[in-house]
């Protein structure tokens, strides 16, 4: 049976410590604005804790929590959660099968390797209109998870730790949200990742990651916007990548209607790209394959070649536009290019190549430069 327990300092109200001692599954704690501390932490099972202030910062809890094995649902609402010393704010250990919901909350991290939300069990985690500041979220190798993040922020940038780390097996759905640092998936994971109308500092993906991205934006402060390796499959539309877009191993990508600073492919990776701008360079190495339709390739002076192919790479294209701005194209080794172009702002286009038979460009004039 649900009990509504009002916690405060007024007449007839329960004190914070008494409420924690008497906490039962099914309880709804209603906290008046104030500062609450519980240094010893608390195991939670099937409870709701809600702040009654005008904003989350009006009701602050300094403590740490762990989800009990028997818990099926925990809700935090309109609260500011602050970890006690270097503890994780919330742990979902192995053996747990539970829903955990944060609604209109602020979670303040420690700014170090301590994880704000640490998930090792089976869990559905919902972040709704919630901010995680100076802290990280980690789904570990044993996790079987579903993350739903809407209208929320994870604000933490580190060269050592991922802002949002996804291991194990699960699904992450990110809508109308912002992740300022790195979103990581790992070599031994199996993850479906959906990012819609959201900002991510950069994406570092491995293992079996299945990414759907629509109207995404990455940051400009990293050497790469996206790095995908392993057996990743990516489907990306109407997104912006202001630094390098890198593929390795057996990564496969469908890229449509997007804006990319540079494309870099190596190993056995493949890309199919349509209606996209490549602003600095496109590099194809090893045994990579590219297929392009209605793509514009620019040169901006940052790279020696605006289009670069070596190894046994293959590229075919239709309705392409080349704007090299003084930079030549390279088709070296056993690489082969077959394309037709609509326009080049330099006539003729200069192509550096050891074997003219490996290059076919129709629709524009081009000239061979011997290596």
């Amino acid at each position: 049976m649900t009990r509504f327990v009002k916690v405060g300092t007024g007449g007839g109200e329960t004190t914070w410590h008494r409420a924690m001692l008497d906490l039962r599954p099914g309880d709804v704690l209603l906290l008046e604005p104030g500062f609450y501390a519980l240094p010893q932490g608390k195991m939670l099972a099937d409870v709701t804790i809600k702040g009654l202030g005008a904003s989350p910062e009006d009701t602050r809890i300094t403590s740490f929590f762990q989800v009990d094995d028997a818990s099926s649902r925990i809700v935090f609402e309109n609260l500011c959660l602050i970890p006690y010393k270097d503890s994780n704010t919330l742990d979902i250990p192995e053996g747990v099968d539970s829903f955990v919901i944060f609604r209109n909350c602020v979670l303040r991290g420690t700014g170090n390797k301590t994880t704000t939300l640490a998930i090792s069990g089976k869990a559905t985690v919902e972040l709704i209109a919630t901010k995680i500041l100076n802290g990280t979220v980690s789904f570990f190798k044993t996790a079987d998870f579903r993350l739903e993040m809407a209208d929320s922020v994870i604000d933490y940038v580190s060269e050592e730790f991922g802002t949002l780390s996804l291991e194990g097996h699960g699904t992450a759905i990110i809508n109308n949200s912002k992740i300022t640092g790195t979103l990581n998936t790992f070599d031994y994971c199996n993850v479906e990742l959906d990012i819609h109308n959201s900002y991510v500092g950069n994406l570092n993906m491995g293992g079996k990651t299945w990414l759907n991205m629509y109207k995404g934006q990455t940051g400009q402060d990293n050497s790469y916007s996206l790095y995908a390796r392993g057996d990743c499959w990516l489907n990306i539309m109407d997104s912006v990548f202001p630094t390098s877009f890198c593929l390795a191993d057996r990564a496969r990508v469908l890229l449509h209607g997007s804006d990319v600073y540079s494309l870099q492919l190596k190993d056995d990776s493949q890309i199919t790209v349509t209606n996209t701008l490549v602003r600095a360079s496109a590099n194809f190495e090893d045994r990579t394959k590219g297929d392009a339709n209605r793509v514009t390739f620019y040169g901006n002076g940052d790279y020696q070649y605006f289009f670069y192919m070596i190894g046994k790479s293959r590229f075919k294209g239709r309705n392409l536009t080349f704007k090299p701005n003084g930079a030549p194209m390279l088709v070296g080794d056993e690489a082969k290019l077959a394309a037709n172009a609509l326009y080049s702002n330099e006539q003729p286009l200069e192509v550096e190549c050891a074997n003219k038979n490996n290059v076919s460009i129709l629709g524009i004039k081009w000239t061979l430069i011997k290596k």
Side-chain angles (χ1 to χ4, degrees), residues 40-60:
Q40 69 271 31
K42 185 68 177 178
M43 186 82 74
L44 300 178
D46 296 317
V47 296
T48 296
I49 305 176
K50 180 177 180 179
L52 298 179
S55 72
E57 298 281 2
D58 291 341
T59 309
R60 301 190 180 196

Side-chain angles (χ1 to χ4, degrees), residues 149-176:
M149 183 175 173
D151 303 307
S152 294
V153 174
I154 307 177
D155 189 359
Y156 179 76
V157 178
S158 171
E159 294 183 359
E160 298 181 73
F161 311 112
T163 305
L164 173 59
S165 297
L166 304 174
E167 303 182 53
H169 179 277
T171 300
I173 302 171
I174 300 168
N175 290 312
N176 304 313

Side-chain angles (χ1 to χ4, degrees), residues 83-364:
Y84 182 73
K85 294 186 176 179
D86 282 337
S87 58
N88 300 332
T89 300
L90 181 74
D91 278 298
I92 303 177
E94 290 186 58
V96 170
D97 184 353
S98 185
F99 277 76
V100 178
I101 300 169
F102 294 89
R103 186 180 294 116
N104 192 34
C105 287
V106 174
L107 284 67
R108 296 192 175 275
T110 59
N112 57 29
K113 65 180 180 180
T114 302
T115 301
T116 301
L117 301 181
I119 299 94
S120 298
K122 185 175 182 179
T124 295
V125 177
E126 295 184 5
L127 302 176
I128 303 168
T130 288
K131 295 180 181 180
I132 298 176
L133 308 177
N134 204 33
T136 63
V137 176
S138 295
F139 293 82
F140 292 108
K141 191 174 182 179
T142 57
D144 184 356
F145 66 88
R146 180 179 178 88
L147 169 66
E148 296 191 16
M149 183 175 173
D151 303 307
S152 294
V153 174
I154 307 177
D155 189 359
Y156 179 76
V157 178
S158 171
E159 294 183 359
E160 298 181 73
F161 311 112
T163 305
L164 173 59
S165 297
L166 304 174
E167 303 182 53
H169 179 277
T171 300
I173 302 171
I174 300 168
N175 290 312
N176 304 313
S177 294
K178 183 176 183 179
I179 299 169
T180 59
T182 300
L183 192 162
N184 286 328
T185 65
F186 294 84
D187 293 343
Y188 39 78
C189 75
N190 190 330
V191 172
E192 179 183 344
L193 176 59
D194 296 327
I195 300 175
H196 304 136
N197 197 35
S198 295
Y199 173 97
V200 180
N202 64 320
L203 290 152
N204 185 353
M205 296 177 293
K208 293 182 179 179
T209 300
W210 314 82
L211 170 69
N212 291 299
M213 188 173 189
Y214 176 64
K215 290 190 176 179
Q217 168 78 54
T218 60
Q220 302 184 41
D221 299 328
N222 302 283
S223 58
Y224 63 90
S225 291
L226 178 148
Y227 182 80
R229 61 194 184 280
D231 293 297
C232 293
W233 287 81
L234 317 180
N235 181 22
I236 299 171
M237 295 181 62
D238 299 343
S239 296
V240 179
F241 302 91
T243 58
S244 296
F245 188 108
C246 307
L247 307 176
D249 296 332
R250 298 160 302 282
R252 303 288 187 268
V253 180
L254 301 175
L255 181 66
H256 175 78
S258 295
D259 191 319
V260 179
Y261 174 72
S262 71
L263 285 177
Q264 298 180 11
L265 281 74
K266 63 180 182 178
D267 302 323
D268 294 287
S269 57
Q270 297 182 22
I271 188 169
T272 299
V273 55
T274 59
N275 290 43
T276 290
L277 299 179
V278 181
R279 295 191 174 274
S281 72
N283 295 353
F284 297 85
E285 303 178 20
D286 305 317
R287 298 160 301 281
T288 56
K289 295 180 180 179
D291 189 321
N293 186 20
R294 295 191 178 275
V295 177
T296 299
F297 294 96
Y298 285 88
N300 68 351
D302 288 349
Y303 295 85
Q304 181 180 358
Y305 302 100
F306 84 99
F307 195 99
Y308 178 94
M309 296 181 66
I310 59 172
K312 295 183 179 180
S313 58
R314 300 288 184 266
F315 180 89
K316 59 182 180 180
R318 298 162 302 286
N319 306 313
L320 306 181
T321 299
F322 295 119
K323 297 185 178 182
N325 296 319
M329 174 186 292
L330 172 68
V331 182
D333 301 329
E334 299 176 51
K336 293 185 178 181
L337 178 148
N340 70 66
L342 298 175
Y343 173 78
S344 173
N345 69 340
E346 295 180 17
Q347 297 285 351
L349 177 70
E350 293 185 338
V351 180
E352 186 175 314
C353 181
N355 185 350
K356 187 175 181 179
N357 294 327
N358 289 344
V359 180
S360 173
I361 303 176
L362 304 177
I364 61 171

Side-chain angles (χ1 to χ4, degrees), residues 44-88:
L44 300 178
D46 296 317
V47 296
T48 296
I49 305 176
K50 180 177 180 179
L52 298 179
S55 72
E57 298 281 2
D58 291 341
T59 309
R60 301 190 180 196
I61 300 174
T62 300
S63 188
F64 57 95
F65 302 100
Q66 182 171 312
V67 179
D68 188 87
D69 289 357
S71 178
S72 61
R73 186 173 184 268
I74 294 171
V75 180
F76 298 93
E77 186 172 350
N78 199 36
L79 298 168
C80 178
L81 302 180
I82 303 168
Y84 182 73
K85 294 186 176 179
D86 282 337
S87 58
N88 300 332

